[in-house]
Amino acid sequence: MKSNHSNRHVNASYSFDLPSNNNNSKQDDSISCSSLNIDTTSHLYYLPSHINKLSNHGQTLNKRLLNSIVNYKNGLIINGSLFDEQLFQVTRSSYITDYANTPQDCNRFLEGHNRISTCSQLDAHLYKLSFIITLSDWYIDKELLLGYYPHEDDEMKILEEISPYKHFCFPELNPKQRNGGQMLNDQSTYIFTRTLSDGHMEYGYCRRLTKDSNRITKFPIVICIVSSHSYFKLYDAILNELVKAYMSNELECNLLMQSFHSKPLPIPTVNSSGVTCILNDRRIFFYVCPRDDRLNHDYYSTLLSCLSPYQIIYLFEAMLRSKRILLFSHSPSKLTKCCLALSLLIYPFLWPYSFVSVMPSSWISDLLDSPCPFIYGCLYETKDQIPKTLDNDLLLVDLELGEIDGNIDATHFLPFNLRQTLEFSLDYLIRFRLMKSNSTLINIAVSEAFLYVFIELLHRLPDFFKRDNPLPKNDSHFSICTNYFQRHDSGIELEPIDLQQITQNEHKQQEENRLGYEFNSEEFLRLQPMSSYVSFLKEFIHGMLFLKFLDDYQRKEDLFSLFTQRLNERRQMTIDDLSINQLVRFRQTFDLLEKQIKLTPKQTNPSFSKFLKKIFE
């Protein structure tokens, strides 16, 4: 069964739910909510006449909502949600400034690299390593190293260190046949991922060249930066400079690789100055490290341009159900961005299974036999290697045609009202915002739309989750107790006293204490407002995604700052706040965000202004 991107709107009309005055919160969605039909003829929305009775109250709330902007410390509170001030600064994060005409003492200061950063650091170096690689023939394992930093005296050690990465630089190479010059021509930055033995992720940022010193080369050249940090915009900006340098002079490019590597990567804070580097043509490179990770990339815009809201939500549900997903595209850039976008949609949860944003063609046949869930990005040419008969839990996503192939399940996993609100929110972004708004705003909007689903489902979590004995901060391993893969249904059953069962419960309690937290799942489920929420959570809270989340949540609070912020905002909402329809709130919030961004004066980023001011002091 296939789902087509063109069939974005299956019906001529939709409906979403408004809370009714019924106080019986335990009823199902279809009973406790009144339906609001929206006719989408000619892409116009019409409200039926029976909604007019809500107009007086709704207009008052909407008027208050429309004007709800409050300045708060380092950001703005818009409709009850806090957004970082960096969102309202200039959209560019990197700046290239010519300092050739500045005073001589400033030139000496800059060229001497005497300025020492006092900011806390994520890493002593901007990235782990960088290298330039090409081919000596159209076969796999015929790679030729042209440049590398940091330098090593032992050449064999260098080759050994880049060995895990070289296949990702030319993922189209196949050991069974000669490519015959049919190489990818995508010159945009793409990102490969590699999971280390300790569970941490490495990211490789690659840019492909077909010219060397303005001459067309026989074999493509790839410049690659490897880092443990997901800072796409930073490394994309660095690759821009490395490509320019390499096109003019290879030696300048090698010196620039060395210069960038020597810079520390600061922890993003209010007082951090960002990344500063002196370029070879008397220019300053400056990058502001955003405190909000959603400002680090533009993945969601790519995903929205390839798939429909229905398809994106279907894949979202498939991930929550731990399905196996293969994505295909001719473009490594499009492919890797869509894969990474999917992995970020499930925040605050982390995909605990195998994830490869671009799979080397030589590996795919070996890895497809894995019974475990996975997300793999594959080049379009490898579709021929996929078996004609698909497993029940395998989905094939064609990003070029906008199709999903596989055993498409007609039933939905998410509660109906949350799924419907999510689909309308994405549809609104695609129709009215995707081509007009910048990628930063799209990132924030998509992230908030999906995060709202988890906030609604889990806003009672703090009442039933207790941290007992947090594990040491340096313990990064995911501990699994014996009952992690057992299914437990909620409810109370009256049975005779069973000493064996009591013993098992004591062991279970000991395991919970060892993990450092207690989670009262039965009470958490019992107090859910809708039966559809209970049905979803009953299955979801016993899955690996949720169990991994609980393990991280009790000892790595810094990973969940945005989730905690939105959770607290939801728990502080009044009855009037909750009576505002979420779709209305979503649209008005991001209309206000866009207006605030447009009001930003077209000037240099304040962080960069402070940096220049310090230079001249």
Side-chain angles (χ1 to χ4, degrees), residues 233-247:
K233 289 188 176 180
L234 168 62
Y235 297 116
D236 183 55
I238 293 175
L239 284 172
N240 285 337
E241 297 307 314
L242 293 179
V243 167
K244 290 177 185 177
Y246 190 85
M247 294 285 284

PDB file of all heavy atoms in Angstrom, residues 233-247:
ATOM      1  N   LYS A 233      24.626  24.618  11.227  1.00  0.00           N
ATOM      2  CA  LYS A 233      24.870  25.942  10.658  1.00  0.00           C
ATOM      3  C   LYS A 233      26.304  26.405  10.891  1.00  0.00           C
ATOM      4  O   LYS A 233      26.886  27.091  10.048  1.00  0.00           O
ATOM      5  CB  LYS A 233      23.866  26.954  11.226  1.00  0.00           C
ATOM      6  CG  LYS A 233      22.440  26.742  10.714  1.00  0.00           C
ATOM      7  CD  LYS A 233      21.517  27.857  11.137  1.00  0.00           C
ATOM      8  CE  LYS A 233      20.125  27.674  10.540  1.00  0.00           C
ATOM      9  NZ  LYS A 233      19.199  28.755  10.949  1.00  0.00           N
ATOM     10  N   LEU A 234      26.878  26.051  12.011  1.00  0.00           N
ATOM     11  CA  LEU A 234      28.273  26.398  12.277  1.00  0.00           C
ATOM     12  C   LEU A 234      29.200  25.712  11.278  1.00  0.00           C
ATOM     13  O   LEU A 234      30.015  26.365  10.620  1.00  0.00           O
ATOM     14  CB  LEU A 234      28.648  26.009  13.702  1.00  0.00           C
ATOM     15  CG  LEU A 234      30.144  26.040  14.041  1.00  0.00           C
ATOM     16  CD1 LEU A 234      30.699  27.455  13.880  1.00  0.00           C
ATOM     17  CD2 LEU A 234      30.395  25.516  15.450  1.00  0.00           C
ATOM     18  N   TYR A 235      29.072  24.409  11.156  1.00  0.00           N
ATOM     19  CA  TYR A 235      29.997  23.663  10.301  1.00  0.00           C
ATOM     20  C   TYR A 235      29.716  23.899   8.824  1.00  0.00           C
ATOM     21  O   TYR A 235      30.633  23.822   7.998  1.00  0.00           O
ATOM     22  CB  TYR A 235      29.941  22.182  10.656  1.00  0.00           C
ATOM     23  CG  TYR A 235      30.395  21.924  12.074  1.00  0.00           C
ATOM     24  CD1 TYR A 235      29.528  21.403  13.034  1.00  0.00           C
ATOM     25  CD2 TYR A 235      31.690  22.239  12.469  1.00  0.00           C
ATOM     26  CE1 TYR A 235      29.949  21.193  14.336  1.00  0.00           C
ATOM     27  CE2 TYR A 235      32.120  22.030  13.775  1.00  0.00           C
ATOM     28  CZ  TYR A 235      31.231  21.508  14.703  1.00  0.00           C
ATOM     29  OH  TYR A 235      31.658  21.321  15.990  1.00  0.00           O
ATOM     30  N   ASP A 236      28.482  24.199   8.486  1.00  0.00           N
ATOM     31  CA  ASP A 236      28.170  24.574   7.101  1.00  0.00           C
ATOM     32  C   ASP A 236      28.862  25.888   6.740  1.00  0.00           C
ATOM     33  O   ASP A 236      29.400  26.048   5.635  1.00  0.00           O
ATOM     34  CB  ASP A 236      26.658  24.693   6.926  1.00  0.00           C
ATOM     35  CG  ASP A 236      26.256  25.006   5.500  1.00  0.00           C
ATOM     36  OD1 ASP A 236      26.653  24.248   4.593  1.00  0.00           O
ATOM     37  OD2 ASP A 236      25.546  26.006   5.283  1.00  0.00           O
ATOM     38  N   ALA A 237      28.862  26.852   7.683  1.00  0.00           N
ATOM     39  CA  ALA A 237      29.545  28.128   7.457  1.00  0.00           C
ATOM     40  C   ALA A 237      31.059  27.930   7.346  1.00  0.00           C
ATOM     41  O   ALA A 237      31.727  28.573   6.530  1.00  0.00           O
ATOM     42  CB  ALA A 237      29.218  29.107   8.588  1.00  0.00           C
ATOM     43  N   ILE A 238      31.608  27.023   8.162  1.00  0.00           N
ATOM     44  CA  ILE A 238      33.042  26.731   8.073  1.00  0.00           C
ATOM     45  C   ILE A 238      33.374  26.088   6.736  1.00  0.00           C
ATOM     46  O   ILE A 238      34.380  26.429   6.090  1.00  0.00           O
ATOM     47  CB  ILE A 238      33.470  25.822   9.246  1.00  0.00           C
ATOM     48  CG1 ILE A 238      33.364  26.582  10.570  1.00  0.00           C
ATOM     49  CG2 ILE A 238      34.896  25.311   9.044  1.00  0.00           C
ATOM     50  CD1 ILE A 238      33.653  25.747  11.786  1.00  0.00           C
ATOM     51  N   LEU A 239      32.538  25.163   6.285  1.00  0.00           N
ATOM     52  CA  LEU A 239      32.769  24.516   4.991  1.00  0.00           C
ATOM     53  C   LEU A 239      32.723  25.524   3.845  1.00  0.00           C
ATOM     54  O   LEU A 239      33.458  25.386   2.861  1.00  0.00           O
ATOM     55  CB  LEU A 239      31.740  23.408   4.766  1.00  0.00           C
ATOM     56  CG  LEU A 239      31.976  22.109   5.551  1.00  0.00           C
ATOM     57  CD1 LEU A 239      30.789  21.169   5.404  1.00  0.00           C
ATOM     58  CD2 LEU A 239      33.255  21.427   5.086  1.00  0.00           C
ATOM     59  N   ASN A 240      31.874  26.541   3.961  1.00  0.00           N
ATOM     60  CA  ASN A 240      31.856  27.597   2.935  1.00  0.00           C
ATOM     61  C   ASN A 240      33.233  28.221   2.782  1.00  0.00           C
ATOM     62  O   ASN A 240      33.714  28.459   1.658  1.00  0.00           O
ATOM     63  CB  ASN A 240      30.838  28.679   3.308  1.00  0.00           C
ATOM     64  CG  ASN A 240      29.407  28.235   3.090  1.00  0.00           C
ATOM     65  OD1 ASN A 240      29.142  27.331   2.306  1.00  0.00           O
ATOM     66  ND2 ASN A 240      28.487  28.864   3.788  1.00  0.00           N
ATOM     67  N   GLU A 241      33.876  28.505   3.910  1.00  0.00           N
ATOM     68  CA  GLU A 241      35.192  29.138   3.875  1.00  0.00           C
ATOM     69  C   GLU A 241      36.277  28.170   3.409  1.00  0.00           C
ATOM     70  O   GLU A 241      37.185  28.556   2.668  1.00  0.00           O
ATOM     71  CB  GLU A 241      35.536  29.694   5.261  1.00  0.00           C
ATOM     72  CG  GLU A 241      34.597  30.781   5.738  1.00  0.00           C
ATOM     73  CD  GLU A 241      34.471  31.903   4.720  1.00  0.00           C
ATOM     74  OE1 GLU A 241      35.518  32.358   4.203  1.00  0.00           O
ATOM     75  OE2 GLU A 241      33.341  32.310   4.434  1.00  0.00           O
ATOM     76  N   LEU A 242      36.191  26.921   3.833  1.00  0.00           N
ATOM     77  CA  LEU A 242      37.186  25.936   3.405  1.00  0.00           C
ATOM     78  C   LEU A 242      37.099  25.683   1.901  1.00  0.00           C
ATOM     79  O   LEU A 242      38.132  25.541   1.222  1.00  0.00           O
ATOM     80  CB  LEU A 242      36.983  24.622   4.167  1.00  0.00           C
ATOM     81  CG  LEU A 242      37.273  24.655   5.675  1.00  0.00           C
ATOM     82  CD1 LEU A 242      37.013  23.286   6.292  1.00  0.00           C
ATOM     83  CD2 LEU A 242      38.702  25.091   5.953  1.00  0.00           C
ATOM     84  N   VAL A 243      35.880  25.648   1.368  1.00  0.00           N
ATOM     85  CA  VAL A 243      35.705  25.438  -0.072  1.00  0.00           C
ATOM     86  C   VAL A 243      36.295  26.604  -0.856  1.00  0.00           C
ATOM     87  O   VAL A 243      37.008  26.414  -1.851  1.00  0.00           O
ATOM     88  CB  VAL A 243      34.219  25.234  -0.409  1.00  0.00           C
ATOM     89  CG1 VAL A 243      33.991  25.330  -1.917  1.00  0.00           C
ATOM     90  CG2 VAL A 243      33.737  23.886   0.104  1.00  0.00           C
ATOM     91  N   LYS A 244      36.003  27.834  -0.401  1.00  0.00           N
ATOM     92  CA  LYS A 244      36.549  29.011  -1.088  1.00  0.00           C
ATOM     93  C   LYS A 244      38.070  28.985  -1.088  1.00  0.00           C
ATOM     94  O   LYS A 244      38.716  29.280  -2.090  1.00  0.00           O
ATOM     95  CB  LYS A 244      36.049  30.292  -0.404  1.00  0.00           C
ATOM     96  CG  LYS A 244      34.571  30.575  -0.594  1.00  0.00           C
ATOM     97  CD  LYS A 244      34.174  31.818   0.182  1.00  0.00           C
ATOM     98  CE  LYS A 244      32.673  32.067   0.104  1.00  0.00           C
ATOM     99  NZ  LYS A 244      32.277  33.240   0.932  1.00  0.00           N
ATOM    100  N   ALA A 245      38.640  28.633   0.061  1.00  0.00           N
ATOM    101  CA  ALA A 245      40.100  28.598   0.164  1.00  0.00           C
ATOM    102  C   ALA A 245      40.683  27.503  -0.723  1.00  0.00           C
ATOM    103  O   ALA A 245      41.704  27.714  -1.398  1.00  0.00           O
ATOM    104  CB  ALA A 245      40.511  28.377   1.624  1.00  0.00           C
ATOM    105  N   TYR A 246      40.052  26.340  -0.746  1.00  0.00           N
ATOM    106  CA  TYR A 246      40.585  25.234  -1.536  1.00  0.00           C
ATOM    107  C   TYR A 246      40.510  25.520  -3.029  1.00  0.00           C
ATOM    108  O   TYR A 246      41.401  25.120  -3.789  1.00  0.00           O
ATOM    109  CB  TYR A 246      39.819  23.948  -1.217  1.00  0.00           C
ATOM    110  CG  TYR A 246      40.463  22.708  -1.805  1.00  0.00           C
ATOM    111  CD1 TYR A 246      41.473  22.055  -1.117  1.00  0.00           C
ATOM    112  CD2 TYR A 246      40.068  22.215  -3.042  1.00  0.00           C
ATOM    113  CE1 TYR A 246      42.086  20.925  -1.654  1.00  0.00           C
ATOM    114  CE2 TYR A 246      40.669  21.090  -3.587  1.00  0.00           C
ATOM    115  CZ  TYR A 246      41.674  20.453  -2.886  1.00  0.00           C
ATOM    116  OH  TYR A 246      42.286  19.347  -3.427  1.00  0.00           O
ATOM    117  N   MET A 247      39.467  26.226  -3.444  1.00  0.00           N
ATOM    118  CA  MET A 247      39.311  26.543  -4.867  1.00  0.00           C
ATOM    119  C   MET A 247      40.421  27.473  -5.361  1.00  0.00           C
ATOM    120  O   MET A 247      40.763  27.478  -6.546  1.00  0.00           O
ATOM    121  CB  MET A 247      37.950  27.190  -5.108  1.00  0.00           C
ATOM    122  CG  MET A 247      36.779  26.266  -4.867  1.00  0.00           C
ATOM    123  SD  MET A 247      36.526  25.055  -6.155  1.00  0.00           S
ATOM    124  CE  MET A 247      35.786  26.064  -7.414  1.00  0.00           C
TER     125      MET A 247
END
